[in-house]
Amino acid sequence: MNARMLPLIATVVIFLAAYAVCYVQFPAILSTRVVGNLLTDNAFLGIAAVGMTFVILSGGIDLSIGSVIAFSGVFIAVMLRDTSLHPVPVFVLLLVITTLFGACMGAAIHFLEMPPFIVTLAGMFLARGMAYVISIDAVPIDHAFFDVLKNAYWLMPGKGRLTFIGGLMLLVFLAGIVLAHRTRFGTNVYALGGGAATASLMGVPVARTTIAIYALSGFLAGLSGIVFATYTSAGYSLATVGVELDAIAAVVIGGTLLTGGSGFVAGTLVGVLIMGLIQTYIVFDGTLSSWWTKIVIGFLLFAFILLQKGLVLLSTRERGTADRPG
C-alpha cells in the first residue's frame, strides 16, 4: 500500500470510529436530518477548505480567506441595501473581485519572491480593513432571492434536508477532486509542492500555476462568503475571524502534508465532517462547552502532524536504502 494513503485512511477510520461512538450514545445522530444539518452548517467552511487544500498542496498558505469571507458578506449586504441590483450580478461582481484579489497575492508571491505567509497576512488585514470601510455594523440581508436559496432543498429518505448550500459544498468538493487528480493543473500543483525549482525543471509553468492557485483560493473564499451570507442572512465585518485556521486544520486532519506535494481533496471533506461531528456531539450532549471542539481538534492536529513526520522519515529512509549501492 502507498504510504501517502495512510493519512487519508487514518482520517476515514477516525471519522467512522467517532461516528460509531456518537451513535452508541445518541442513535438519532445517524438520521438524515442530522447529516443534512452537518452539511449545511459546515458548507462555507468546506468550500473555503477546498481552496486551502490546493494552496497547501503547492507548499503555500493562505491566511486571507476568513477576512475575504467577511468582506464578501458585507459587500453583498451593502450592495443589496444601497442599490437596485439583483443578487446574481452582485455575486458575479464579488467573485471577480475576490478572484483578482487572490491572483494579485499569487503574483506578489511569485514575482516578488515573498513568503506566502507574509503576502497573505497582508491580504488578511487588507480584506478585513475593506470590510470595515464598507460598514462597521451588521447589515441584514432582506431579499426574496435569498429566501429562495435558503428554502431550496432536496428531501432525503428519513425526511432529512440536503439544502442548496450543503449540496453546493458537495459539488465544489467533487469539482476539486476532478481538478486535483484528473487535470494538468492538478498535476502542476502537486509538482509545485515538491519544490518550485524542481517543478520548473520539469516544465511546469511556475508563475502561471502559482497565480492560478491563489486566484482559485480567492474565488472559493468569495463563494464561501456568498454561502455564509445566505446561511446568516447578514453581512458583518467581524464575522468568520479565525476561519482560515479552521480550514488549515481541516486540510491537515484530512491528510494533506503541510509541506506540500501530498494529499487528497476528498480527505479535506472528511476533515471538515470530523470537525462538524465534534460540534454536533457537543450539541447533543448539552453539558459540554463548545471550546471542547477546539481542544479535540488540537489533539487531532498534533496526532496528524506526528503521523506526517513519521511518514516523511520513513520515505527518506526508503530513498536512502534505494540509493545505496549494492
Side-chain angles (χ1 to χ4, degrees):
M1 182 177 60
N2 192 334
R4 293 187 174 188
M5 292 290 291
L6 285 176
L8 177 62
I9 293 171
T11 302
V12 174
V13 169
I14 288 172
F15 175 68
L16 294 177
Y19 219 116
V21 170
C22 294
Y23 174 71
V24 169
Q25 286 189 268
F26 308 108
I29 210 164
L30 198 59
S31 70
T32 55
R33 292 173 186 264
V34 175
V35 173
N37 290 337
L38 189 63
L39 295 175
T40 300
D41 295 342
N42 295 281
F44 78 96
L45 174 62
I47 292 171
V50 172
M52 184 66 84
T53 306
F54 280 91
V55 172
I56 293 180
L57 279 173
S58 72
I61 199 85
D62 189 352
L63 299 178
S64 70
I65 62 171
S67 299
V68 172
I69 295 171
F71 166 81
S72 302
V74 176
F75 179 84
I76 293 169
V78 171
M79 287 291 284
L80 294 180
R81 184 192 65 184
D82 297 344
T83 71
S84 58
L85 287 172
H86 189 272
V88 172
V90 174
F91 292 166
V92 172
L93 179 60
L94 170 72
L95 292 174
V96 170
I97 293 172
T98 58
T99 303
L100 289 175
F101 182 71
C104 289
M105 288 194 298
I109 289 167
H110 177 76
F111 292 112
L112 301 181
E113 298 182 354
M114 295 291 290
F117 178 89
I118 298 299
V119 175
T120 58
L121 182 66
M124 181 185 77
F125 284 113
L126 185 59
R128 186 71 67 179
M130 287 305 298
Y132 287 136
V133 168
I134 296 174
S135 177
I136 58 173
D137 299 318
V139 183
I141 298 174
D142 184 17
H143 196 285
F145 186 71
F146 272 79
D147 293 334
V148 171
L149 293 181
K150 289 189 75 170
N151 295 324
Y153 63 85
W154 173 63
L155 194 62
M156 296 184 286
K159 297 186 177 179
R161 295 180 178 182
L162 177 59
T163 60
F164 169 74
I165 60 175
L168 180 62
M169 179 189 75
L170 294 179
L171 286 177
V172 170
F173 266 103
L174 183 61
I177 290 168
V178 172
L179 189 63
H181 305 298
R182 290 288 183 271
T183 66
R184 174 62 63 88
F185 172 73
T187 305
N188 290 344
V189 172
Y190 279 93
L192 197 57
T198 306
S200 183
L201 290 173
M202 292 167 60
V204 173
V206 176
R208 193 170 66 196
T209 305
T210 303
I211 293 170
I213 289 167
Y214 285 89
L216 177 64
S217 182
F219 172 82
L220 291 177
L223 186 61
S224 175
I226 293 172
V227 168
F228 189 73
T230 305
Y231 182 67
T232 60
S233 296
Y236 186 39
S237 51
L238 275 176
T240 60
V241 173
V243 162
E244 60 277 356
L245 302 181
D246 290 336
I248 293 170
V251 174
V252 175
I253 291 173
T256 298
L257 206 62
L258 265 174
T259 51
S262 178
F264 301 91
V265 177
T268 301
L269 174 60
V270 184
V272 170
L273 293 179
I274 287 175
M275 295 169 69
L277 181 63
I278 296 167
Q279 190 65 43
T280 303
Y281 176 84
I282 289 171
V283 171
F284 268 76
D285 182 83
T287 60
L288 295 171
S289 165
S290 62
W291 287 110
W292 277 101
T293 305
K294 307 295 182 186
I295 294 169
V296 175
I297 291 171
F299 277 117
L300 284 175
L301 273 176
F302 273 122
F304 273 88
I305 288 169
L306 288 175
L307 176 61
Q308 290 184 1
K309 189 67 180 175
L311 290 175
V312 170
L313 289 174
L314 182 64
S315 176
T316 304
R317 185 176 298 176
E318 286 180 349
R319 280 201 301 269
T321 305
D323 294 340
R324 197 174 299 157

